[in-house]
């Protein structure tokens, strides 16, 4: 289905509620999930995650996923916990929930918190390593591996004395159909004429899948970032 996404969004009565804005000041019109990922539309995911009451009668009300379900899947992708890589000082990041906010901030959860969490904003914090690990799980069909620094230990020209094997730490509970849909959406980020990485990456000779984003910096200007993976092109899938 599609969701109507103007350039700004009022969760309830526009005379009372704070507005949530999209980076596209013109609005994106009506989008499905593939286009929403390709165009990186904030408001689509605000509505999908936090719901929509349908006050302006342009579309029926939407039952959002809600904060707890969003957090549940984020944790399955390895967010909110240290990956266990062989480095000291790794931080866990945060996956906010109503209980987390009450314990950590001392305040009640708001609908706006759900909107922000649905788009990876607000109290959500992740490390680059967590982001890469979650993208790898999307690429490989749903398996989350523990990152490792070393492949093998041994003499330079001899047999290794120890070899490190990939360690599975979880399986993301998402159907193959849904994973394929997400992968196709990430491909559109590069291939779609309005994709947010089309201009930078569409000329590459490999098939690139990915997602652009903004790393919000509390100490200064925000940073643009991109996470993705590649697949060699072939005659059967030249795009």
């Amino acid at each position: 289905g599609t969701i109507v996404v103007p350039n700004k969004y009022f969760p309830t009565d526009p005379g009372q509620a704070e507005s949530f804005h999209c980076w596209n000041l013109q609005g994106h019109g009506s989008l499905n999930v593939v286009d929403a990922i390709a165009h990186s539309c904030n408001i689509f995911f605000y509505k999908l995650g936090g719901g929509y009451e349908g006050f302006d009668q342009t579309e029926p009300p939407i039952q959002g996923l809600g904060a707890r379900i969003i957090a549940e899947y984020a944790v399955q992708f390895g967010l909110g916990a240290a990956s266990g890589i062989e480095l000291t000082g790794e931080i866990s990041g945060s996956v906010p929930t109503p209980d987390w906010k009450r314990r950590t901030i001392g305040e009640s959860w708001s609908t706006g918190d759900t909107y922000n969490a649905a788009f990876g904003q607000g109290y959500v914090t992740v490390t680059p390593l967590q982001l890469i690990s979650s993208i790898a799980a999307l690429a490989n069909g749903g398996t989350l591996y523990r990152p490792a620094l070393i492949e093998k230990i041994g003499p330079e020209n001899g047999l290794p004395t120890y070899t490190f094997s990939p360690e599975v730490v979880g399986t993301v509970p998402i159907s193959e159909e849904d994973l394929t849909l997400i992968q196709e959406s990430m491909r559109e980020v590069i291939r779609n004429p309005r994709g947010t990485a089309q201009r930078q990456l569409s000329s590459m000779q490999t098939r690139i899948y990915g997602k652009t984003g903004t790393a919000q910096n509390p100490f200064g200007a925000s940073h643009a970032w991109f996470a993705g993976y590649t697949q060699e092109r072939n005659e059967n899938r030249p795009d």
Side-chain angles (χ1 to χ4, degrees):
T2 61
I3 294 178
V4 178
V5 283
N7 67 326
K8 61 181 177 179
Y9 165 47
F10 295 93
T12 54
D13 183 341
Q16 300 178 6
E18 176 186 355
S19 62
F20 286 75
H21 295 259
C22 185
W23 67 267
N24 184 340
L25 299 181
Q26 303 303 314
H28 280 115
S30 295
L31 297 178
N32 59 27
V33 67
V34 175
D35 289 335
I37 291 175
H39 305 160
S40 196
C41 178
N42 304 53
I43 293 175
F44 181 96
F45 292 100
Y46 293 157
K47 290 186 174 183
L48 187 66
Y52 174 63
E53 296 184 8
F55 70 89
D56 61 3
Q57 300 180 348
T58 59
E59 60 181 315
I62 297 170
Q63 179 66 47
L65 293 173
R68 287 184 172 84
I69 292 179
I70 293 171
E72 176 184 338
Y73 278 95
V75 168
Q76 296 289 341
F77 274 98
L79 305 186
S83 71
I85 193 171
E86 308 99 313
L87 291 172
T88 59
E90 183 188 9
I91 61 176
S92 62
S94 60
V95 174
T97 63
D99 292 339
W100 175 92
K101 186 179 180 183
R102 192 175 297 108
R103 293 193 310 268
T104 307
I105 309 296
E107 298 177 358
S108 297
W109 189 264
S110 69
T111 304
D113 291 328
T114 307
Y115 298 139
N116 284 328
F119 204 69
Q121 298 175 326
Y123 299 113
V124 176
T125 58
V126 302
T127 67
L129 182 60
Q130 288 174 330
L131 186 64
I132 292 170
S133 295
S134 64
I135 292 291
L138 287 173
N140 68 31
T143 301
L144 188 68
Y145 291 96
R146 188 183 310 282
L149 291 175
I150 301 172
E151 180 182 3
K152 57 187 177 182
I153 295 176
E156 182 176 358
N157 298 314
L159 295 175
T161 57
Y162 191 87
T163 299
F164 293 83
S165 300
E167 181 183 352
V168 175
V169 295
T171 302
V172 180
I174 299 181
S175 69
E176 181 178 351
E177 179 182 2
D178 288 341
L179 278 171
T180 299
L181 178 64
I182 296 171
Q183 292 168 351
E184 292 175 353
S185 302
M186 294 172 68
R187 178 63 184 141
E188 289 301 303
V189 171
I190 290 85
R191 188 177 64 174
N192 190 293
R194 294 175 61 194
T196 51
Q198 190 274 340
R199 182 167 57 88
Q200 295 85 354
L201 298 174
S202 61
S203 62
M204 301 291 288
Q205 294 304 305
T206 55
R207 303 180 82 249
I208 301 176
Y209 303 72
K211 181 70 184 70
T212 57
T214 301
Q216 296 172 322
N217 176 12
F219 306 107
S222 297
H223 303 287
W225 62 351
F226 175 87
Y229 62 96
T230 65
Q231 181 182 78
E232 291 295 332
R233 293 183 178 179
N234 56 52
E235 292 181 359
N236 295 325
R237 302 187 68 178
D239 62 335

